[in-house]
Amino acid sequence: MKTTTAQIAFRYRTQDSATGVTRATAKRLAETLGVDETQVIHMALHELATKFLPQYEADDGALTKAQLAQIKKSAPKPKGGKILSSLFDLEGS
């Protein structure tokens, strides 16, 4: 399996806030948790994903037909216009 190494622009803040932390805070968290600063950031993102993304969890692969049906049922319906493509189109269906 090939992995990518795309980078994001990350900057520590000069003051802790709801949208950023200082390097000192990241270092303290890393020391307290026994991990490095990068792992602290990944752990924080995992916590956010778990909290805010519906039914977020690690998976083993593609969605089942039952999962796709559940998503289609709960997805917002388009208001007018025509759908030209969908993330949920299955080949050969």
Side-chain angles (χ1 to χ4, degrees):
M1 182 163 112
K2 184 178 178 181
T3 60
T4 60
T5 57
Q7 300 294 313
I8 61 168
F10 179 82
R11 294 185 189 98
Y12 288 107
R13 304 295 190 229
T14 56
Q15 186 174 12
D16 289 326
S17 71
T19 59
V21 297
T22 63
R23 180 96 191 251
T25 296
K27 284 183 175 187
R28 283 182 25 226
L29 279 167
E31 186 176 304
T32 300
L33 297 171
V35 298
D36 63 37
E37 291 173 56
T38 300
Q39 288 172 308
V40 166
I41 294 164
H42 285 281
M43 291 169 74
L45 289 171
H46 179 268
E47 287 296 316
L48 283 170
T50 302
K51 183 177 179 179
F52 291 104
L53 296 177
Q55 300 177 352
Y56 172 81
E57 61 183 46
D59 62 50
D60 298 335
L63 297 174
T64 65
K65 287 184 179 187
Q67 290 169 321
L68 284 171
Q70 183 181 13
I71 291 169
K72 286 180 182 180
K73 183 178 177 181
S74 63
K77 305 297 183 253
K79 296 179 182 178
K82 182 178 178 182
I83 297 176
L84 300 178
S85 67
S86 171
L87 292 174
F88 306 113
D89 286 341
L90 299 173
E91 291 183 27
S93 57

